Amino acid sequence: MATFIALWYAPLRRLSRDSEIVNWNELGTYFESIQRIVRASIHANAYLGNGSDLALTRLLIAGVLAVTAVALFRLVKGHFRLQPDARVFMALLLPLSAAANIAQVRLTHTPYLEARLGLFYWPLVAISLVCAASWIYERYGKRMVLMYILPISLLWLVNTVRTVNLGKSLEWYHDTDTFTVLEYLKQAYIAEGRTEPYVLDTEWFMQNSFIFHLEKDTYGYAKYAKLPPFHGNQPPIKDADYYYAISGDRTQEAVVDYDIILRIPESSLVLCRRKK
């Protein structure tokens, strides 16, 4: 074990100094990491009020601790042998993975997992739930196991119906309407009879999505829009035809030279056009 730890410590320690890690969002606690994973899994739906993610995180952790306690009790009862009950090993996979993640963060000073990086926890949660159901059935019978399974199954079904998405895929919320903006520029280009593409500036973290789709140009939008060179956090450039921003302080900087001509539904994003 000591040799194995020595082998992975050095690479992880070096990785922790990389800018991709250093500049990543710092999460103060492991609890916050789990809460973000839960919030992403329910798409922030308010099942139990505005604090649904907090309530479900506490419930999840309490359930995992309860299953872990039963697994440890059975491990001790079996004289620390896994052979008598393979469910003990399966149930301990989740807490052991969590402990390994916490140890990694402490030893290498890397951040706790963001939501999309913690997806591997959910299969382990499902395994723990199945182990718990099996133990409940074994000790208390069908009625008790139904009282355990039905609420969890109902929550799973409701969440699946509320969050199922078969139409689109996205990672960052500000990339959701990249095509909405490009299609708007296409229609304006056609209506105005232009022969040159519009210059579209955006806030810096929204540029990547447009750069990708305009460079790959799978849908032919490069005819209608072009971007200034990639830039960091800066005020809108003065000679852009359009500016895509989050409504708020940045929009206030642009309002002198630009008018808001499109508000993205169910979003704080706005498309502005330079005043004529």
Side-chain angles (χ1 to χ4, degrees):
M1 178 62 74
T3 304
F4 177 72
I5 292 175
L7 287 173
W8 63 253
Y9 176 79
L12 285 176
R13 192 70 185 91
R14 291 176 182 176
L15 179 65
S16 68
R17 301 191 185 100
D18 190 271
S19 62
E20 292 291 334
I21 299 296
V22 173
N23 297 326
W24 195 251
N25 294 333
E26 274 196 49
L27 300 178
T29 64
Y30 185 70
F31 183 90
E32 187 179 353
S33 174
I34 300 303
Q35 186 176 357
R36 290 197 181 190
I37 294 170
V38 170
R39 185 186 305 137
S41 299
I42 65 173
H43 282 210
N45 281 307
Y47 298 125
L48 303 174
N50 293 331
S52 293
D53 57 333
L54 178 60
L56 289 173
T57 300
R58 289 172 174 169
L59 185 62
L60 174 64
I61 292 176
V64 170
L65 290 176
V67 175
T68 302
V70 173
L72 290 174
F73 173 78
R74 286 177 170 262
L75 184 64
V76 173
K77 187 178 179 181
H79 304 288
F80 296 95
R81 292 181 301 174
L82 298 174
Q83 187 176 2
D85 190 350
R87 294 169 296 185
V88 171
F89 171 75
M90 302 298 288
L92 289 177
L93 285 174
L94 178 56
L96 288 175
S97 297
N101 183 210
I102 294 172
Q104 174 189 318
V105 169
R106 296 295 183 182
L107 290 172
T108 64
H109 306 292
T110 49
Y112 285 110
L113 298 177
E114 287 284 345
R116 70 182 184 276
L117 301 178
L119 291 177
F120 73 93
Y121 279 127
W122 289 118
L124 299 179
V125 170
I127 291 172
S128 295
L129 293 176
V130 171
C131 291
S134 178
W135 284 328
I136 292 172
Y137 179 79
E138 189 177 273
R139 183 174 180 84
Y140 299 106
K142 184 183 296 186
R143 183 174 180 181
M144 286 298 294
V145 80
L146 286 175
M147 292 177 63
Y148 164 77
I149 290 176
L150 288 177
I152 296 174
S153 299
L154 180 61
L155 177 60
W156 169 81
L157 180 62
V158 170
N159 189 57
T160 299
V161 172
R162 290 283 298 272
T163 61
V164 66
N165 171 23
L166 302 177
K168 58 184 178 181
S169 174
L170 60 103
E171 181 174 2
W172 304 109
Y173 80 94
H174 47 75
D175 292 341
T176 311
D177 289 283
T178 297
F179 285 114
T180 302
V181 172
L182 291 176
E183 186 63 26
Y184 183 95
L185 297 184
K186 173 183 176 180
Q187 297 304 322
Y189 180 99
I190 295 172
E192 296 175 8
R194 287 180 63 97
T195 57
E196 294 293 327
Y198 295 112
V199 177
L200 171 66
D201 190 20
T202 75
E203 292 195 48
W204 69 272
F205 55 86
M206 298 155 73
Q207 276 188 292
N208 284 329
S209 180
F210 287 96
I211 290 173
F212 174 82
H213 289 295
L214 290 176
E215 286 187 356
K216 297 299 182 182
D217 197 25
T218 307
Y219 300 97
Y221 285 116
K223 177 181 178 181
Y224 312 110
K226 65 179 181 180
L227 301 170
F230 184 82
H231 56 71
N233 189 16
Q234 66 181 33
I237 64 174
K238 300 298 183 181
D239 57 347
D241 299 298
Y242 288 90
Y243 183 66
Y244 190 43
I246 297 176
S247 60
D249 293 340
R250 184 66 78 203
T251 310
Q252 293 302 316
E253 294 181 26
V255 75
V256 176
D257 301 298
Y258 293 85
D259 291 320
I260 296 175
I261 47 89
L262 178 65
R263 294 184 181 273
I264 304 300
E266 300 180 3
S267 170
S268 60
L269 304 176
V270 294
L271 179 64
C272 306
R273 183 163 190 178
R274 189 176 59 186
K275 295 178 178 178
K276 296 181 180 180

